[in-house]
Amino acid sequence: MELSEQLAAWCADGSKVFPSASIKRAEAAIADVMGCVLGGRNEPAVIGAGKITPDDGCGRSSAVTHKRPISAPWAALINGCAAHALDFDDNFFPPVTHASASLVPALLALAEEIGTRPVEVVHAYIAGLEVEAQIGKVVNPSHYESGWHATSTIGAIGVAAACAVLMKLGQEGILHAISIGSSLAGGSKRQFGSMVKPMHAGFAAMHGVMAAKLAGAGVTGVTNTLQGKWSFEELYAGSGDLGVFSPEMFPAARLAIDEYGLVAKLYPSCMSSHLGIDAMLALAEDHVFALEDIKAIDIHMPEFMVANLRYQTPVSSSEARFSMNYCAALALVHGIPRMSHFTEQALTDKKVQRLMPLVQMHVRQILPEAASLPWGGDCEARITLSDGRVLEHQAIYPKGCIQNPLTEEQQRIKFTECARGNTSGADANGLFERFSNFSQVAALDSVAQCLRA
């Protein structure tokens, strides 16, 4: 079986029952990203997407920019963009995608349109993650390192498969949804720091819904688009170092959501900055020193992390999220980075401004023991003080990963911080509880209404 066929067959297996632990992980991810959707609803990119969306009242899906329901593809676009607008949403490895930011908005929008139950959304979400993981094993690290934003490429295909599962299209329909999704895949990391970057999650969500709906309408494509001549693998990752996919092991392997988990962010910035932030927070907690005594801050990370954090002197909140200089200085001055730290006013903080030029990033050779880490390596950080002391810390497991998870209280605080004033009158704590137990919610109406403007 070619990969597309194997994924379609796996997704279409109606006898598959996911473990309760997998379902709880999925529900935690759904709650996390729905907080991000609410928190990002007023961001410029989201408002812009809302302006071009038809408001004819003919749809059934809720969007954060509209009072009346709209069509599912447009709702997926808007809510997907909102989910990723703060760069506070989770990361998923090995595809290196912001998986939940596209999967959840797409599945919710489609579920509202076709009238499916929340428990079916959770099942389709886990299936979509699995598709993204297996494709990621084939094309990464070359795909991501060459500049593709996998959220918008691999993500579009994973969302297409998940939506086809939700629509119960069967093996053939899922196969063609994957095929159509592969033709909608696109998006460069060149957009990092711009308003288009969060649109990538929206594009993946919208395109996934479109691909599944087209497959459901009888549109068919080539069945083996992921491997072979002119395939996704050859065109998007053929010139570099490719991963290894074992067809014979895939069906019996652990679910990707259990093997890799999702990295739920504690900081609203690019994932590549998180090990550096973790290191700064650890050094500040473990040692006593004055900020005025810092002479140098050296952060050693894998090359792709350094490349992602390319704004040494950010001039906007979006650029600040992709600046190790800003994030490291911020962590030393204020502690855990919060949403309020990524504003134009926060960028003018004099203490942070003084430390930013002292931060230097260095490409770190990936050590053998770190090479197997799904996020691609570790971080070695050093702070040199005026008295000659050199403080060092190695950060390996980013806060929020399966080995270093957020506590339930941290999850709740993050959700309520994002949702505060953005829930259309709904109680934030009550919403968190419902999203955290999404499989048990009787109907989508009770949670979807919080999205409407």
Side-chain angles (χ1 to χ4, degrees), residues 34 46 48 69 135 141 164 230 280 282 316 332 344 399 415-416:
M34 288 307 298
V46 181
I135 296 173
W230 299 338
M280 293 299 104
S316 68
L332 289 171
E344 267 62 35
K399 188 62 181 174
F415 184 94
T416 54

Side-chain angles (χ1 to χ4, degrees), residues 2 23 45 58 77 99 128 144 208 227 302 328 369 437 446:
E2 197 267 350
I23 292 171
C58 295
L77 171 72
Y144 189 81
Q227 294 175 302
E369 59 268 28
N437 298 280
S446 63

Side-chain angles (χ1 to χ4, degrees), residues 35 38-39 86 88 266 268 336-341 410-422 428:
L38 295 172
L86 302 176
F88 214 175
L266 189 58
I336 294 176
R338 302 292 187 187
M339 289 169 57
S340 60
H341 294 135
Q410 287 173 325
Q411 295 172 40
R412 183 185 299 275
I413 290 171
K414 175 182 174 178
F415 184 94
T416 54
E417 181 184 4
C418 288
R420 191 176 298 121
N422 293 318

Side-chain angles (χ1 to χ4, degrees), residues 50-62:
K51 287 179 179 178
I52 69 163
T53 302
D55 189 14
D56 52 17
C58 295
R60 297 180 181 177
S61 304
S62 304

Side-chain angles (χ1 to χ4, degrees), residues 7 18 54 93 138 174 233 371 387 415:
L7 292 174
F18 296 136
F93 303 93
V138 171
I174 296 169
E233 178 184 11
D387 62 6
F415 184 94

